[in-house]
Structures are given as C-alpha cells and as structure tokens.
Amino acid sequence: MSAVKKPAKIALAVAVAALLPALTAAPASAVANDDKPGTQGQPGKADPGKAGKTRKDPDPPPATMSTVGGAQLGQPGTQVKLGAGAPVLPMDLTGRSWIVADAENGQVLASHNAHWRLPPASTLKMLFADTVLPKFPKTDVHTVTPADLEGMGEGSSIVPIHANLPYTVHDLWLGVFLRSGNDAVHALAAMNGGVPKTVQDMQAHADDLQALDTHVVSPDGYDAPGQVSSAYDLTLFARSGLQKKDFREYCSTASAKFPGAEGKDNEREYFEIQNTNRLLTGENGLSPYKGIAGVKNGNTTNAGATFTGVAERDGRVLLVTVMNPDSAEGQAVYKEAARLLDWGFAAAGKVTPVGELVPPKSAAPSGAPQGSQPSAAGGRDTAKAAVTTKKGPGSGGIGTALAIAGGALLVVAAGVFLLNRRWPLPELVRRKK
C-alpha cells in the first residue's frame, strides 16, 4: 500500500470530522457459465457476415429515450462531437448500445443508444454488489441452505456452491465476481432477507443513482419478463461500485481458491476459479487489455453478450459499456469494448462531451433539478489514478493496491457522494502461464 504522509493524514482527519454531521448512512433460458460470446440470429440482429460496420438494427431503438445526463444522450444512434485532431470512431462496432465515459469527471465522450432499455444479463450483478456488498463484513460466515439455492433459472451460471456447508461472505463475493455465480447471488440475497427484499433494495438504489432505465426483477441478471437496464445505467452502477474498496478488489481479481465439497475427515477441498472477464484474464484467444481493472461481463439468451469495463492509461480512467453486439468475430463484446477504450484514450481532450454521468439524487444540492439536466456536480474529480500492483492471497498473482493513495477525499455536491481523489486501479501486465 502507498504510505500516507502525516500532513495528508491530518488533512483527511479534519475533513472527515467536519463532514460527519452531514453524512447519512447511505423465465427465458440463460447461457450457462455466463461467459460465452453472444449467440447469433437473435431478434434485431443484422447479418453476421457484415462485421466491420455499425449495424442497421431492424428492431430500432425508441425515437425518444431518457435524457438523464443530457438531452443528446436521449437521441437514437451514435452521438459524438469530434474536435481538431480527434480520431474517428471505430467502424467495426455492432453493439445495440454502448457508451464511453471518463470515470473521474463523468464526461460521456461518445455513445450509441445510451438509454435504450435492454436485457442486462449478469452486468446487473454490479448493481447487486453495489447494493448488498456494504451490508455484511467479509469475515461473516453463512451456512447455505437448500432453500437459498431455489429459484435459479435453468442453465444459470454457478460457482458451484454446496448446500449445508458454510461459506464466508468473502467466498461468496468471489463467486459472484469471478464465476458470475447465480448460486452465490442467491446465498447473499438470503442473508439480505431474501430475493424479493433484495430486488426491492436494488431498485431503490438504482433510483437513487438516477439509473431510471433499470427495472430489477431478479438479483442475478437472469432473463426475466420486464427486466431491463441500459448502457448508461450499467456505467452508473460500475462508477458507483468502483468507489468501494472491496468492489474494486473483487472485480479486478483474476483467479482465487474457492472452498468445495467436504473430502476425507470432513475437510474442505479447494479448487481454483477464474474471472470470466476475458479482457482481464486474456483467455479464449484474447490478450489482457493493458490497464484493465474490471468490471463485469454477462450473457443470456435475451440479452446476448454484455460487458462493462474500466481501464487506466496515462493517468486517465475510462469506463465503457457494450450491449449485445452482432459480429462474425468471436468474443465480439470484448473486442468492441477494447476498440472503444482505445478510441477513448486517443480522443480524450479532443472531443466535446455529449453528456455526463450524473451523481445520485441524494448527492444533488437541495432544490436542484433531477434527471433531465446534466448535473453541475457530475462527480468532477480531476485527480489522476494511482496505479500499482501487489501480489497476495487469492489474486492469482495479480492484485491491486487498494489504499486511497494520498488519503484525500473530494466532496461532491451536498457532501454525501464521496469520490476517491485517487482511484487505485491495477496496472495489469500478464503473461499467459
């Protein structure tokens, strides 16, 4: 961890002490394992042979969509304002919806149908984690019951988890983030009072984040009638989650040991689980994306492939979300996300933002308009990301320095929405073993 100098410690202590009074406690089938490329021939998809061009979707987006974050984001089609020296967008983009945004100041650099309400698949687990993760210490132990594992859809991705055996909360979150385990989600939801209560909590949190395109039906993202989100909302979930230390740790972990069934003498056997985020691990013919630090992928019958990622380059942190690409190339959701990240890093400072990622409602100044206008606050943290690596247990040799480098916090808007002045994202330079 980065050492925090004494003056910074004093400043942080004074700032936090001053803030304390103001702060408040804040049934379709699924593709198994949730990490496969999107299936072809789904409704609204163009000819897969026409890869290399932005598709003309026969099932077009609504003519008018939400204007949260700015009016231009509510318009269908691609939105970008290129300035002098800015590179053109990649031609080989086939996603129904996508967005590229600066994670720190919230500026949306470019988008395509950003507010189109589509099935989210397991990228919805980002909202689940952002909602539930702060509620239970990672050392808490939960013995999974058979009832905990009921109600999962056929073909759900699983860790697997065994009924009648104990797991730490830390174990369960590794199962959620690395294996996209619906069984781990349901076990944590049981700890939270059950699936209906967890869905209600998630919806309330989405509403506070101004993720108004999102309707939660299942906590794991499994296809369900009426369950939708958008590229804009998924990016809000990632940005909110990344401000939490444990969230950053889990989403950037490439592999870990997980407790399995009981072996001889009632001792637990352990097996290795690997993150299904292929830009993180470099599996299935992909190379790891330099600077990638998470966040979450998904794949179901209705959603196709979905992905939200965060990456750092030269002190700039970008978020990208891609939903349901149609391409002849394998692993298209990751490849298109990588192209958009490359473009975003090259275009930063050379484009006029087309909108912004808004802060939560609870962070807006009293009396300020909500939702339809770009926020004046907008989470404008102009500090750079601190990037480092460390090795530690459960990281597969790829860890993250999770301390807030410099120890400073920036208070945005009303003082409730806190942004890390330095985001501790990992620099990932991996060699395939």
Side-chain angles (χ1 to χ4, degrees):
M1 288 188 178
S2 302
V4 181
K5 296 182 179 180
K6 187 174 182 180
K9 287 183 177 180
I10 296 173
L12 177 61
V14 172
V16 171
L19 284 170
L20 285 176
L23 297 179
T24 60
S29 61
V31 176
N33 297 327
D34 215 28
D35 62 348
K36 294 181 171 60
T39 56
Q40 303 296 340
Q42 295 186 22
K45 290 198 168 188
D47 183 351
K50 296 182 179 178
K53 297 182 180 180
T54 301
R55 77 177 177 199
K56 295 180 180 179
D57 206 319
D59 180 17
T64 58
M65 293 174 280
S66 168
T67 57
V68 172
Q72 193 165 355
L73 296 180
Q75 299 176 18
T78 301
Q79 308 300 320
V80 66
K81 297 179 180 178
L82 301 177
V88 297
L89 283 164
M91 293 297 294
D92 43 0
L93 300 175
T94 66
R96 275 186 157 192
S97 175
W98 53 258
I99 192 170
V100 185
D102 189 304
E104 293 183 303
N105 62 28
Q107 294 176 348
V108 176
L109 306 184
S111 70
H112 180 75
N113 301 325
H115 281 292
W116 194 358
R117 305 180 76 193
L118 298 168
S122 281
T123 45
L124 193 65
K125 287 183 172 77
M126 294 186 295
L127 175 61
F128 171 75
D130 195 37
T131 303
V132 178
L133 195 153
K135 297 187 178 186
F136 306 105
K138 62 173 63 178
T139 55
D140 280 4
V141 176
H142 176 66
T143 297
V144 176
T145 70
D148 293 351
L149 304 180
E150 293 177 355
M152 292 191 299
E154 182 180 355
S156 283
S157 52
I158 58 174
V159 182
I161 285 172
H162 299 276
N164 303 316
L165 289 178
Y167 294 85
T168 65
V169 168
H170 175 69
D171 292 333
L172 294 175
W173 283 118
L174 286 173
V176 171
F177 278 92
L178 273 66
R179 287 296 299 159
S180 199
N182 289 1
D183 48 357
V185 170
H186 279 247
L188 286 161
M191 293 181 66
N192 190 54
V195 167
K197 180 181 182 299
T198 301
V199 166
Q200 184 178 22
D201 291 348
M202 290 170 65
Q203 189 66 63
H205 188 45
D207 293 345
D208 180 63
L209 292 175
Q210 301 201 65
L212 305 184
D213 300 322
T214 297
H215 178 63
V216 183
V217 179
S218 68
D220 48 30
Y222 188 90
D223 287 338
Q227 180 151 274
V228 291
S229 190
S230 67
Y232 184 88
D233 285 8
L234 294 174
T235 308
L236 288 182
F237 302 152
R239 191 178 187 226
S240 179
L242 286 165
Q243 294 180 70
K244 297 174 176 62
K245 175 182 175 181
D246 287 345
F247 188 106
R248 295 194 302 270
E249 178 184 273
Y250 291 126
C251 79
S252 63
T253 297
S255 63
K257 296 295 184 181
F258 194 87
E262 290 183 342
K264 295 181 180 179
D265 301 323
N266 295 324
E267 291 185 1
R268 298 291 288 275
E269 297 177 346
Y270 283 77
F271 61 98
E272 185 173 275
I273 57 175
Q274 188 176 59
N275 202 311
T276 56
N277 176 353
R278 299 312 180 201
L279 287 190
L280 186 70
T281 63
E283 296 292 321
N284 291 6
L286 291 173
S287 297
Y289 189 86
K290 185 177 180 181
I292 193 73
V295 174
K296 190 70 188 76
N297 58 299
N299 193 311
T300 64
T301 300
N302 289 349
T306 60
F307 176 70
T308 297
V310 62
E312 185 274 346
R313 186 178 297 174
D314 299 326
R316 187 179 297 275
V317 185
L318 295 183
L319 281 163
V320 63
T321 295
V322 177
M323 301 185 75
N324 197 1
D326 178 31
S327 173
E329 61 182 351
Q331 308 293 332
V333 74
Y334 299 113
K335 292 178 180 178
E336 295 190 18
R339 293 180 191 120
L340 285 168
L341 284 169
D342 286 343
W343 174 85
F345 287 122
K350 301 174 184 177
V351 297
T352 299
V354 295
E356 68 173 357
L357 303 177
V358 296
K361 292 178 181 179
S362 55
S366 179
Q370 298 289 345
S372 62
Q373 298 293 331
S375 166
R380 301 189 187 284
D381 182 2
T382 58
K384 303 300 180 183
V387 182
T388 185
T389 62
K390 70 173 184 179
K391 293 184 178 181
S395 66
I398 306 166
T400 307
L402 295 170
I404 301 174
L409 297 175
L410 178 65
V411 182
V412 177
V416 179
F417 193 44
L418 303 181
L419 291 178
N420 299 327
R421 185 172 290 278
R422 290 181 179 268
W423 284 27
L425 301 179
E427 180 182 4
L428 303 176
V429 181
R430 299 182 177 82
R431 292 186 177 89
K432 191 172 183 180
K433 295 184 180 180

